[in-house]
Amino acid sequence: MTTVERSLPRLLQTPPSPSSKRAPRGRRGRSNGELYGWIFMRASGALLVVLIFGHLFINLMTGDGIHGVDFAFVGGKWADPFWQWWDLVMLWLAIAHGTNGMRTVINDYTSRAGTRLAFKGALYLLAFIIVALGTLVIFTFDPCPPGVAADLLPAICTA
Ligand code: HEM
């Protein structure tokens, strides 16, 4: 039996100590936060199916498929506000969904308050950086920035 096989029963069993049980006495049962989080996971999951499969369909099944995906293709897509907003909503929802899912996993599998705080701090920091950088790129991307030497620009800029 390998190490992975030996640890499987432990990994698959119900998480040992959901942190909701540790909420201070006065706050137990008073908040619907976890319920809303549960509903959000399902609602965002349903929306992500549409956004992600729409994205894959347009990028891979239309035109030249994967061979047509290059710098000019991305530049062309982000010249259209429709695709800017599609990609923005997909990015925000995926990161909010993934971050909330990981928050649940951290709550379920960490028992020390300090460990939980460190993992969640790293998680929220990463989520913020990804959302901030992604949003900035989607709205500031310019395939033909002014003042740049022509030999450094892609062919679409000089055509
Ligand atoms: C087609 C798109 C997706 C659908 C339909 C979907 C659906 C779901 C659902 C329904 C849950 C809740 C599971 C539960 O409570 O038992 C979940 C959990 C989760 N999802 Fe997604 N998801 C999608 C995309 C993503 C993406 C893009 C990410 C990462 C950025 C992600 C990360 C997670 C994580 C970390 C969890 C928590 C896992 C756990 O509780 O064990 N999901 N997803």
Side-chain angles (χ1 to χ4, degrees):
M1 207 187 240
T2 65
T3 317
V4 172
E5 282 164 349
R6 265 197 301 277
S7 19
L8 264 182
R10 189 168 51 81
L11 288 172
L12 294 177
Q13 73 193 1
T14 308
S17 53
S19 71
S20 53
K21 280 191 189 146
R22 300 221 169 113
R25 211 167 263 283
R27 288 182 50 199
R28 275 183 210 164
R30 284 220 184 147
S31 155
N32 282 332
E34 289 302 327
L35 171 67
Y36 297 138
W38 185 88
I39 293 171
F40 171 74
M41 290 307 278
R42 269 128 193 98
S44 56
L47 264 173
L48 280 168
V49 170
V50 177
L51 291 167
I52 293 173
F53 283 96
H55 170 84
L56 290 175
F57 179 79
I58 294 294
N59 283 15
L60 303 178
M61 309 294 284
T62 59
D64 293 336
I66 184 73
H67 304 291
V69 178
D70 56 10
F71 187 87
F73 177 85
V74 177
K77 253 184 124 183
W78 280 348
D80 182 343
F82 176 85
W83 290 115
Q84 283 183 314
W85 282 95
W86 182 292
D87 285 357
L88 186 82
V89 175
M90 189 165 65
L91 171 75
W92 283 5
L93 265 189
I95 298 303
H97 173 103
T99 304
N100 192 46
M102 283 309 294
R103 182 190 63 83
T104 314
V105 173
I106 293 170
N107 277 344
D108 281 348
Y109 287 98
T110 54
S111 44
R112 294 226 229 110
T115 315
R116 194 177 303 150
L117 189 72
F119 276 122
K120 282 199 208 168
L123 176 70
Y124 297 148
L125 180 68
L126 276 178
F128 175 78
I129 292 174
I130 294 170
V131 164
L133 286 184
T135 304
L136 196 71
V137 169
I138 290 173
F139 285 114
T140 59
F141 182 76
D142 181 356
C144 311
V148 172
D151 58 331
L152 293 177
L153 292 173
I156 45 160
C157 301
T158 44

